[in-house]
Amino acid sequence: MTHPLGTAPSKVIAVHLNYSSRARERGRAPSQPSYFLKPPSSLAGTQEALERPAGCELLGFEGEIALVIGSRAQRVPPDEGWSYVRWVTAANDAGLYDLRYADRGSNLRSKGADGFTPLGPRLLDAGEVDPAGLRLRTWVNGEVAQDDTTGHLLFPFGELVADLSRLVTLEPGDVILTGTPAGASVVRPGDVVEVEVTAGQLSTGRLRNPVAEAPALEPFGAMPRVDAAERAAAWGAAWTPEPVLDPRLEEGLRSVAVATLSAQLRKRGLPHMSIDGVRPVQPGRQMVGVAHTLRYLPLREDLFKRYGNGFNAQKRAIEEIQPGHVLVMDARRDAAAGTLGDILALRAQKRGAAGVVTDGAVRDSAAIAELGLPVYAAGAHPSVLGRRHVPWDTGIPVGCGGALVQPGDLLVGDADGVVVVPPDLAGELTADCREQERQERFITEQVRAGESVDELYPLGPAWREQYEKWCKEEGADA
């Protein structure tokens, strides 16, 4: 396209997170702005198609306010930054999440394709608008998808100009994409995306871009690839992920006791599958889910400054939770500091966690108990994790309460504690557990009637015929 000022910009700079609504949606709020570059060849105008290559799934739209620099800016103070902006217009920071993995951070292939930065259709004179009083709206197929104002920015526009100009000289015509509010999501061929920026009675008009199917990418270089995490990031609040655990398998595991599972695991030569030393924060809560792991290392003050602050591994682990996950924390059986508080427990619950297991302590234990989220811990402690722990990494095999837990293992908990179930054994374990518990019900009836446990418990040959008759009366196969 022709640049709005008639000259191609030297650069297009995009801000990652800049609206408080988007920060809440993403579960993180940066302390400083961060940026990536889009090539000028990605610029397009209104009515031009956003093309999704065949074989790709996740074409994302992001309605944004674009700033066009009017005069050369170098080492500009924040209170003067806005004066270097000449024009304001609407933009769509489109991108293919299918290729994000290939250029992690730089976004070159995912966000830099031809036509992936539409601007327009009209320019607003920056001198005639209040940068803190702009409204941004995005429509998909005529339905409002985004609606926010610049009163909710994390980093005002003048500060962005000043921050960038400390190291990067901004030239006339350069474009700054200033971030997207909550509501950005995915579009498909046949959809139409519209973006408008207004300042009182002034308007850019609607930037309108239909979505079209394009030929598949040539079969060399990075090819499209998506997973549950990319789908969640692309769809945003509209994402409804599939459960990580088959509902039938979950139902089966819920139907048997942890003690029975432990006995059946031991019969298979797996006697070390219990997570020792943990108890339910709120008794009576049963738990079944898939392990998602977090490891803490011993406190080292100099490294805590680097690894313990900001969006650390603990917070990442919470934001990586998918419905059905059990967050398993390796705290080295050190219960002298909290590894989970009520706010992060609430966030885990909101993300669909099936439970939390830590061989460390929890803080805010009464508030956690009130949530109703199954949480198993080695104890309660009022201190924060920085007293004993550094949150280190996620999604790796960990040791919790003496048991080795891999991501993807199954966790089952009840009043007796928690056991780890290998996924490939879960089906047969459930069947054998049900049979064991059926036998134990029969044995309990006989003991209650006064029978000796000799040859009865465990069930011996002398009682087999009577047991089979009892099963037929109960309507079950022995």
Side-chain angles (χ1 to χ4, degrees):
M1 91 171 246
T2 300
H3 185 259
L5 294 182
T7 306
S10 66
K11 48 194 166 290
V12 179
I13 303 171
V15 180
H16 280 112
L17 269 175
N18 198 22
Y19 283 82
S20 57
S21 62
R22 183 67 161 173
R24 289 192 299 271
E25 193 176 64
R26 290 302 201 203
R28 62 185 188 275
S31 58
Q32 301 293 338
S34 62
Y35 312 93
F36 61 94
L37 290 170
K38 299 189 77 169
S41 56
S42 70
L43 292 173
T46 192
Q47 303 297 342
E48 296 189 51
L50 293 169
E51 296 188 337
R52 189 188 76 174
C56 290
E57 174 186 338
L58 302 175
L59 174 60
F61 69 87
E62 296 182 5
E64 305 205 8
I65 297 172
L67 312 180
V68 182
I69 296 299
S71 55
R72 195 168 190 264
Q74 188 177 39
R75 297 186 181 90
V76 172
D79 59 353
E80 297 180 13
W82 180 247
S83 67
Y84 287 81
V85 178
R86 181 68 182 91
W87 306 105
V88 174
T89 194
N92 187 347
D93 180 16
L96 277 174
Y97 282 78
D98 309 64
L99 294 175
R100 273 216 312 176
Y101 77 93
D103 297 301
R104 182 65 66 180
S106 77
N107 293 330
L108 178 60
R109 279 173 278 200
S110 63
K111 290 251 185 183
D114 292 353
F116 271 22
T117 315
L119 299 178
R122 292 191 292 274
L123 302 171
L124 300 181
D125 189 329
E128 297 181 2
V129 302
D130 176 4
L134 301 176
R135 183 182 184 186
L136 170 67
R137 283 178 291 177
T138 305
W139 296 262
V140 176
N141 301 328
E143 297 290 330
V144 175
Q146 297 178 285
D147 189 350
D148 212 332
T149 71
T150 50
H152 300 135
L153 293 176
L154 299 175
F155 311 108
F157 294 156
E159 291 183 16
L160 296 178
V161 173
D163 183 40
L164 287 165
S165 74
R166 291 188 305 158
L167 296 168
V168 178
T169 299
L170 300 175
E171 303 288 355
D174 285 352
V175 175
I176 302 174
L177 305 179
T178 57
T180 196
S185 193
V186 172
V187 285
R188 302 180 176 89
D191 291 338
V192 176
V193 184
E194 298 172 289
V195 185
E196 181 184 26
V197 178
T198 56
Q201 299 301 311
L202 301 176
S203 170
T204 62
R206 291 196 186 187
L207 172 68
R208 186 178 191 275
N209 298 99
V211 181
E213 185 88 8
L217 297 174
E218 290 77 4
F220 53 84
M223 298 302 290
R225 188 177 78 194
V226 298
D227 56 20
E230 290 294 1
R231 290 189 178 97
W235 282 95
W239 172 238
T240 306
E242 294 293 324
V244 294
L245 180 59
D246 185 300
R248 291 170 298 178
L249 190 56
E250 179 184 357
E251 181 183 4
L253 291 170
R254 286 190 183 279
S255 71
V256 298
V258 164
T260 313
L261 283 166
S262 181
Q264 289 297 325
L265 287 164
R266 188 174 63 252
K267 285 184 178 181
R268 288 165 171 78
L270 296 170
H272 306 297
M273 305 301 282
S274 62
I275 296 181
D276 295 338
V278 302
R279 304 295 299 167
V281 173
Q282 183 186 40
R285 293 283 176 182
Q286 191 184 26
M287 178 186 74
V288 178
V290 178
H292 173 54
T293 59
L294 165 64
R295 180 172 64 149
Y296 294 107
L297 292 183
L299 177 65
R300 205 176 107 180
E301 287 79 359
D302 60 325
L303 293 179
F304 191 87
K305 294 177 182 178
R306 176 179 176 185
Y307 290 96
N309 294 318
F311 193 59
N312 59 30
Q314 182 196 43
K315 293 176 182 176
R316 289 201 308 274
I318 297 291
E319 293 302 328
E320 290 165 357
I321 287 172
Q322 298 296 322
H325 271 155
V326 171
L327 179 58
V328 181
M329 297 180 174
D330 173 3
R332 311 172 317 285
R333 300 190 182 187
D334 186 343
T339 57
L340 180 77
D342 61 334
I343 292 176
L344 292 185
L346 175 61
R347 180 60 179 161
Q349 184 181 50
K350 291 295 185 181
R351 289 195 59 82
V356 178
V357 181
T358 175
D359 62 1
V362 295
R363 58 199 298 262
D364 310 313
S365 57
I368 289 176
E370 290 178 0
L371 289 177
L373 175 71
V375 176
Y376 291 76
H381 201 284
S383 75
V384 296
L385 61 90
R387 181 174 185 264
R388 301 288 295 177
H389 308 297
V390 182
W392 201 258
D393 46 13
T394 71
I396 60 168
V398 298
C400 184
L404 171 60
V405 183
Q406 296 190 103
D409 281 341
L410 305 181
L411 278 297
V412 184
D414 63 17
D416 285 342
V418 180
V419 293
V420 183
V421 176
D424 57 332
L425 295 180
E428 65 179 73
L429 273 172
T430 298
D432 289 349
C433 284
R434 284 174 168 169
E435 170 58 20
Q436 178 181 329
E437 292 184 351
R438 188 161 47 238
Q439 290 184 15
E440 291 175 352
R441 288 197 302 274
F442 169 76
I443 292 167
T444 298
E445 285 189 16
Q446 309 315 308
V447 172
R448 186 174 287 117
E451 297 289 345
S452 167
V453 295
D454 184 31
E455 294 192 29
L456 174 62
Y457 182 56
L459 192 69
W463 285 92
R464 175 60 62 176
E465 183 177 348
Q466 190 168 340
Y467 170 64
E468 291 176 354
K469 180 181 178 181
W470 178 86
C471 286
K472 289 179 180 178
E473 292 172 354
E474 292 286 313
D477 294 327

